[in-house]
Amino acid sequence: MRGLAARLRIDWRASVSLVGTIVKYLSLSLLVPLVVAVVYGDDVWVFVVSILAAGAIGLSLEHLDPDPDLGPREALLLVSLAWLAVAVVGTIPYLLAGNGIPFLIEPSAPQSTLAHPVNALFESMSGFTTTGATVLGAISLDRHSHAVMMWRQLTQWLGGMGIIVLMIAILPELAVNGAELMQSEAPGPELQKLTPRIVETARALWLIYVGFTLLYILILYGLHLAGMAPEMGLYNAIAHGFTTLPTGGFSPEADSVAAFSAVVQWVVIPFMFVAGVNFALFWHVIRGEIDALADDPEFRAYAGAVAVLTAITGVLLFRGAAPALELGGATEGVTENALRQAAFQITSLLNSTGYATSDFVEWGAHAKLVLLFAMFVGGSAGSTGGGVKVIRWIIVLKGVRRQLFVAANPNAVEPVRLAGRVVDEESVRGIMAFTLLYLLVFGISTVLISLDAARIGLGLTVIEAISASIATLGNIGPGFGDLGPFGSYLWFSDWSKLLMVGLMWFGRLEIVPVLALFVNGLDGR
Amino acid sequence: MRVVVIGAGEVGRSIAANLADAHDVVVVERDGDLVEELTYSLDVLAVHGDGTNLDVLREAGIDQADMLIASTDVDEANIVACGAAKTIGDPFTVARVKRRDLLATWKNAEGAFGVDFMVCTDLLAAEAIFRITGVPGAHDVDTFAGGIVRMAEFEVTAESEIADQTVSQADRYSSLTFAAVFRDDDVLIPTGSTRLTMGDRVVVIGSSDSIREFADAVAEPGDEGAEEVVIVGGGEVGFQTARLFEEHGFRPKLIERDRERARELAEQLPQTTVLESDATDVEFLAREHIDEADVVVSALESDEKNLLVSLLADRLGVERTIAIVETAEYAGLFETVGVDIAVNPRQETAEEIVRFTREGQTEKIAMLENDRAEVVEIEIGEGSVLADRPIRDAVGDLPDGVVVGAISRGGTLVTPRGDTVIQAGDHVILFVDTSVLDEVTDRI
């Protein structure tokens, strides 16, 4: 560590100390599941111990450097480490609850799958990165306490708008490097400052996020009170509020959103859609720039992609691409259901949410490929969505078109434009490089996952391996086959799970800068 | 308030950095790389574009702005930006210009060009040079309270009387306050037992006479103040400096290489001896007895040449060398290698403009050591923590890093001591560490 840090010329103590500060404040978020535990009278000790443990870890790391001074490299290291640390600390409740109270456990009682540290880390990283892939053997509130499940949902909500952005909003001392920190965490190629002060930008984004969450919970619970959604009690309304807007996808229901009435599903679709939109645009809309959404090329492309793919899928379903399913019902010749299933699945997979209302694993291959295509699109920059991000695809396509044009007209000078504004070549190159790297990581991971599955004798098909790789890297969650929306990632070996933990981390932070830092450092340049 | 700064050159940048803590700052800059860099280095909103363009000004939110500071390197662009801003909003506009005739034109008509306040960089630099030469050995000099109070910064050299004395031993000047000591990178607030060592830079505040007495004690023997002044370089700064010295009864020499320009200067400066020559010509320097000069001011167009001329003059035995340094980062370096005082015109300009943004709170400010600390003049109101109580009690309510340097009551100087009671309406001159500045101005 010391040798590496010296070679990279990084003051790692400063970064680690601030990671400690972040963990310290994060421990307060465990109060939410603690309240739930008290209400339901289950697992109270788990969260009391968790808060104390997380607080202690945070405080002890904080003491490494009483007066941390962050430079640009330290800021990158801080963001990367913070997400790892947060994922590790997030495992504490899982491990405690999964193992039960040592001297009270009945020998016959089955342990939770989360008692295993690798599984707990997978679930925690999957939560914070808003992936939504799960290793729970059984998703049920009978098997796991309400409080543990609420923590699982809350991790997604915290990770959605970004832990670092949240910390900048509440800790003014981070404002000095706030722009760098936010840039490293915010989805998309560029940071958008909305206000002169980064603290205000962070607060504005979180307030919009909180506002949408509250509105959504109210609507869901309102439907329940109106008798249109018997399953959607207050607990479920909050749980889905915590997992829809961050494009998370953890649902406390084993049947995901298929457990709810059609009305609820129609409410979930627009909110999933909103979660994939750049939140900065809402800020502009709130300030009276009504055209902000319509004028934004990325928003138009995102909405267009959802609409087109929904139409294609809808037609396929209407013409019988899916059998009559227990979850999802019959779609052949049923207009409303075909449209609803198409809109729900496409919105959910395109922007990386990962809820499901239909067991799309059972769909025909052609319909599944449409879904797989949607998985590669991703949400917008500055949204809570994962994936490559719509804006990057726009630039890549425009860049490729420019390349072809210049090949035909060698003397042409042809800048890449976005909504009439010229995109500088540096950004175009950066986005091309990122997209290529992303696809490279996806390809290599697919191979590694499938080799490892063969090693332990797991019968993994090609499309399952592909889906496992993109579902974790793109922070989507469900894949195909046994990894479907009602399946689990439990059967992979520990090595594969750790690889996927890395993929989720990489996908969430778009960690090019950190890679660059280490690659250059190791080259001794 | 919301401040829009046009141009992120040295002036714009230091203004933005100074204001970012207390105000919402938007910086407009044409160079995309600079915009990118600013976004991450300062807590400001950086907008890419030309500040004379209405759409860009709108994007920067000029309609909600309280102040616009145009500080690009192009005089005309600054004036146009101010005028353009006035067409869509009503911010208080500040324009920085280099040419003094623009300033003269503006002074002729209130609010001409839509500019509410104009600062002339080169004139400010000339004024700073003149102030500093008036006090032997001083690195920085500023006047407060209409001229009855002065602040000066001196370096303690091996020869000076106060070297290795404690502050209480050195404090034998009536009406003088030892405000602070800069040692390496620290700002020390001196107590009676603080020992002054070689290389320290001491900030003192007091009456003009006591500053002068103190200067004579600190200065190296033989440095008797400026009689013979030589200015090298007949650019705008050199010209303005010569003019100021003339106005105060000096007869400076001005060295200019270009024949045409030398002629022009000679016509405009009746009391100045204009010499047409290259100032790095050692024979010429010997022939003209430049070694007998008390002060040599280098105001050539490049920092490197100014350094060279200053070092040559120093080698010849000139008492004090003052160099204009356009690059702020070099100022400290130049002083290390042998230039006595480095004056940065952009820093002077930033100081002047920042002073303006604090209108209403402070009457005047001076920044020290790249704005690590400031000396500010504040009129005391009724609700101030300083009002109507002895300073000794009041200081407890203020953060560390504040020293009351002088008090001006009804135009006379009151030297503050622990039991002095400040009254509402007094002007106090405070030394404040920049890190606690906002806190202090809030409470006073």
Side-chain angles (χ1 to χ4, degrees):
Chain A
M1 182 80 195
R2 173 166 306 174
L4 185 67
R7 247 207 326 268
L8 294 173
R9 289 180 299 279
I10 285 189
D11 177 12
W12 60 271
R13 282 172 193 279
S15 308
V16 173
S17 150
L18 278 163
V19 168
T21 309
I22 288 169
V23 169
K24 183 179 77 177
Y25 283 97
L26 182 85
S27 66
L28 296 177
S29 68
L30 284 155
L31 290 169
V32 175
L34 178 63
V35 169
V36 176
V38 170
V39 169
Y40 286 91
D42 194 1
D43 274 348
V44 176
W45 70 274
V46 167
F47 288 95
V48 171
V49 174
S50 296
I51 291 174
L52 294 176
I57 292 170
L59 283 170
S60 55
L61 289 179
E62 211 177 0
H63 277 300
L64 266 176
D65 186 349
D67 186 15
D69 179 22
L70 282 185
R73 289 165 184 232
E74 285 79 13
L76 287 174
L77 185 68
L78 164 64
V79 176
S80 322
L81 287 181
W83 279 79
L84 281 177
V86 158
V88 170
V89 170
T91 62
I92 299 172
Y94 297 149
L95 293 171
L96 291 175
N99 286 305
I101 310 172
F103 51 87
L104 285 184
I105 202 157
E106 298 169 34
S108 61
Q111 275 198 334
S112 156
T113 53
L114 294 181
H116 189 312
V118 173
N119 288 347
L121 181 64
F122 185 99
E123 200 76 10
S124 176
M125 185 61 100
S126 173
F128 279 110
T129 58
T130 73
T131 303
T134 185
V135 289
L136 281 180
I139 301 173
S140 89
L141 290 167
D142 306 332
R143 187 73 192 78
H144 305 277
S145 73
H146 283 77
V148 167
M149 293 299 272
M150 187 51 85
W151 173 239
R152 182 171 169 262
Q153 277 111 230
L154 183 67
T155 55
Q156 296 207 316
W157 194 72
L158 291 170
M161 191 40 80
I163 290 160
I164 303 283
V165 180
L166 177 61
M167 290 299 160
I168 291 170
I170 58 177
L171 295 177
E173 60 259 39
L174 285 175
V176 182
N177 302 80
E180 253 147 20
L181 296 171
M182 262 175 84
Q183 157 66 18
S184 318
E185 188 192 59
E190 282 200 340
L191 169 83
Q192 287 175 292
K193 267 193 188 177
L194 303 174
T195 57
R197 289 171 185 284
I198 200 79
V199 174
E200 285 169 14
T201 297
R203 281 181 193 158
L205 290 171
W206 263 90
L207 278 175
I208 294 167
Y209 184 55
V210 169
F212 271 122
T213 307
L214 288 175
L215 174 71
Y216 179 59
I217 292 173
L218 284 174
I219 292 177
L220 289 180
Y221 193 54
L223 285 176
H224 173 73
L225 295 178
M228 284 189 272
E231 302 287 332
M232 190 51 83
L234 187 60
Y235 181 88
N236 258 339
I238 293 173
H240 289 86
F242 278 168
T243 53
T244 300
L245 284 151
T247 66
F250 276 158
S251 168
E253 294 288 340
D255 294 346
S256 186
V257 184
F260 302 103
S261 61
V263 181
V264 171
Q265 296 179 14
W266 278 118
V267 170
V268 175
I269 292 169
F271 278 96
M272 283 196 301
F273 179 82
V274 159
V277 175
N278 185 343
F279 276 67
L281 296 177
F282 294 125
W283 185 80
H284 287 294
V285 170
I286 289 168
R287 290 178 71 242
E289 300 166 46
I290 307 298
D291 299 337
L293 281 170
D295 286 347
D296 184 60
E298 186 180 23
F299 176 77
R300 290 207 300 263
Y302 169 69
V306 171
V308 169
L309 290 171
T310 297
I312 295 172
T313 315
V315 170
L316 292 177
L317 290 176
F318 186 79
R319 296 187 47 196
L325 296 165
E326 187 189 340
L327 292 173
T331 52
E332 191 170 359
V334 189
T335 315
E336 188 272 343
N337 201 28
L339 184 64
R340 174 156 48 90
Q341 299 301 351
F344 196 101
Q345 260 58 236
I346 288 291
T347 311
S348 166
L349 292 177
L350 183 132
N351 76 14
S352 86
T353 306
Y355 285 142
T357 53
S358 167
D359 196 356
F360 54 75
V361 171
E362 304 296 329
W363 292 9
H366 53 300
K368 271 200 280 202
L369 282 173
V370 176
L371 294 183
L372 187 67
F373 178 80
M375 285 182 179
F376 276 89
V377 178
S380 310
S383 73
T384 61
V388 176
K389 308 289 176 304
V390 176
I391 189 98
R392 287 202 179 94
W393 287 122
I394 298 175
I395 302 280
V396 166
L397 291 173
K398 284 184 181 245
V400 169
R401 203 174 62 189
R402 186 255 309 261
Q403 220 57 34
L404 296 175
F405 180 81
V406 171
N409 308 285
N411 297 341
V413 178
E414 185 74 3
V416 174
R417 283 194 176 80
L418 194 69
R421 285 196 159 197
V422 173
V423 184
D424 70 274
E425 293 303 314
E426 194 67 33
S427 306
V428 176
R429 264 199 302 279
I431 286 167
M432 292 263 190
F434 174 88
T435 312
L436 196 62
L437 182 70
Y438 196 94
L439 295 176
L440 197 70
V441 169
F442 155 75
I444 292 173
S445 314
T446 306
V447 174
L448 289 176
I449 288 168
S450 99
L451 286 176
D452 192 53
R455 182 180 63 88
I456 60 165
L458 207 60
L460 199 70
T461 63
V462 173
I463 196 162
E464 284 173 5
I466 288 176
S467 71
S469 176
I470 187 64
T472 49
L473 177 63
N475 302 140
I476 298 163
F480 296 122
D482 288 343
L483 319 174
F486 310 112
S488 167
Y489 281 69
L490 190 57
W491 323 115
F492 286 106
S493 78
D494 285 353
W495 293 112
S496 283
K497 283 177 192 162
L498 286 175
L499 169 68
M500 291 180 200
V501 165
L503 287 177
M504 294 189 248
W505 181 60
F506 178 95
R508 174 62 183 82
L509 292 188
E510 304 178 346
I511 227 151
V512 179
V514 175
L515 274 181
L517 202 72
F518 279 89
V519 169
N520 289 336
L522 295 173
D523 285 354
R525 263 179 267 154
Chain B
M1 59 184 178
R2 194 181 176 98
V3 183
V4 177
V5 178
I6 312 281
E10 284 219 24
V11 178
R13 212 194 154 86
S14 47
I15 292 170
N18 188 292
L19 299 181
D21 283 346
H23 306 287
D24 288 350
V25 181
V26 183
V27 182
V28 177
E29 166 62 46
R30 278 201 313 206
D31 175 350
D33 293 345
L34 259 181
V35 170
E36 174 100 356
E37 197 263 323
L38 268 181
T39 301
Y40 295 112
S41 61
L42 293 178
D43 197 9
V44 301
L45 181 63
V47 175
H48 187 194
D50 189 319
T52 58
N53 175 322
L54 276 185
D55 291 339
V56 173
L57 285 174
R58 280 206 185 90
E59 190 184 341
I62 202 79
D63 46 332
Q64 310 142 34
D66 304 293
M67 183 178 272
L68 171 112
I69 298 167
S71 59
T72 71
D73 270 341
V74 184
D75 292 359
E76 290 77 5
N78 292 337
I79 289 170
V80 172
C82 290
K86 286 285 190 191
T87 64
I88 32 178
D90 188 27
F92 186 92
T93 53
V94 180
R96 162 204 173 198
V97 295
K98 290 207 197 73
R99 296 203 340 248
R100 191 167 155 271
D101 44 2
L102 283 173
L103 182 69
T105 309
W106 174 77
K107 279 198 165 150
N108 258 329
E110 199 64 38
F113 317 130
V115 176
D116 296 320
F117 180 62
M118 194 179 265
V119 282
C120 174
T121 314
D122 295 344
L123 185 61
L124 288 171
E127 282 167 351
I129 291 168
F130 182 75
R131 273 201 316 269
I132 294 167
T133 46
V135 181
H139 274 254
D140 198 349
V141 179
D142 237 314
T143 57
F144 293 89
I148 60 169
V149 177
R150 259 189 194 197
M151 176 280 304
E153 184 184 348
F154 296 94
E155 180 160 354
V156 180
T157 58
E159 288 90 2
S160 71
E161 278 181 36
I162 59 167
D164 286 330
Q165 292 187 342
T166 58
V167 168
S168 49
Q169 288 169 319
D171 192 6
R172 46 180 179 266
Y173 306 91
S174 60
S175 70
L176 186 80
T177 310
F178 280 79
V181 177
F182 291 108
R183 180 172 298 164
D184 302 329
D185 285 336
D186 299 326
V187 183
L188 310 176
I189 301 298
T191 58
S193 57
T194 306
R195 190 168 288 283
L196 302 169
T197 57
M198 205 181 94
D200 285 356
R201 295 174 304 286
V202 200
V203 177
V204 289
I205 298 174
S207 68
S208 298
D209 295 346
S210 60
I211 296 269
R212 181 73 213 218
E213 275 178 55
F214 182 76
D216 291 339
V218 177
E220 296 171 26
D223 188 349
E224 298 303 334
E227 289 298 323
E228 182 112 0
V229 180
V230 176
I231 300 159
V232 179
E236 192 65 25
V237 180
F239 168 66
Q240 296 296 349
T241 310
R243 204 178 49 80
L244 274 175
F245 275 107
E246 269 192 2
E247 281 177 6
H248 289 82
F250 290 82
R251 301 183 66 100
K253 286 181 178 168
L254 176 57
I255 303 171
E256 167 59 46
R257 205 168 61 177
D258 182 79
R259 174 180 291 267
E260 298 262 322
R261 177 70 180 161
R263 174 89 211 161
E264 214 174 297
L265 291 166
E267 286 170 5
Q268 291 190 26
L269 297 165
Q271 303 298 320
T272 304
T273 311
V274 179
L275 304 165
E276 182 205 319
S277 168
D278 184 340
T280 53
D281 175 352
V282 183
E283 268 183 35
F284 158 80
L285 294 176
R287 194 167 59 237
E288 289 294 336
H289 296 294
I290 300 297
D291 53 314
E292 288 170 18
D294 298 314
V295 179
V296 170
V297 178
S298 319
L300 293 159
E301 60 279 5
S302 88
D303 290 357
E304 294 79 359
K305 281 185 182 160
N306 286 333
L307 177 63
L308 183 64
V309 170
S310 299
L311 293 178
L312 271 174
D314 194 48
R315 172 67 57 83
L316 289 171
V318 174
E319 289 297 343
R320 285 173 92 191
T321 52
I322 301 179
I324 291 288
V325 185
E326 293 287 355
T327 315
E329 286 81 13
Y330 291 177
L333 181 69
F334 278 26
E335 290 186 355
T336 314
V337 298
V339 178
D340 291 326
I341 296 143
V343 173
N344 181 307
R346 295 192 165 97
Q347 181 67 35
E348 300 291 330
T349 310
E351 217 171 277
E352 183 79 3
I353 292 175
V354 169
R355 174 175 76 76
F356 229 88
T357 61
R358 302 208 196 133
E359 280 289 275
Q361 297 173 302
T362 48
E363 304 290 319
K364 176 152 190 192
I365 66 164
M367 297 180 193
L368 297 166
E369 306 267 324
N370 262 330
D371 206 18
R372 293 221 321 259
E374 294 183 8
V375 176
V376 295
E377 177 182 340
I378 297 179
E379 184 172 351
I380 297 298
E382 292 292 345
S384 162
V385 292
L386 285 176
D388 303 322
R389 51 201 287 208
I391 292 176
R392 189 177 297 117
D393 303 348
V395 166
D397 291 340
L398 290 170
D400 290 344
V402 185
V403 177
V404 180
I407 303 165
S408 148
R409 181 170 300 159
T412 56
L413 171 72
V414 177
T415 304
R417 293 292 176 249
D419 51 4
T420 310
V421 178
I422 297 178
Q423 302 162 5
D426 287 356
H427 281 224
V428 292
I429 289 85
L430 297 170
F431 172 93
V432 187
D433 191 320
T434 309
S435 57
V436 295
L437 186 72
D438 293 331
E439 204 177 332
V440 172
T441 41
D442 283 347
R443 297 191 196 183
I444 290 178

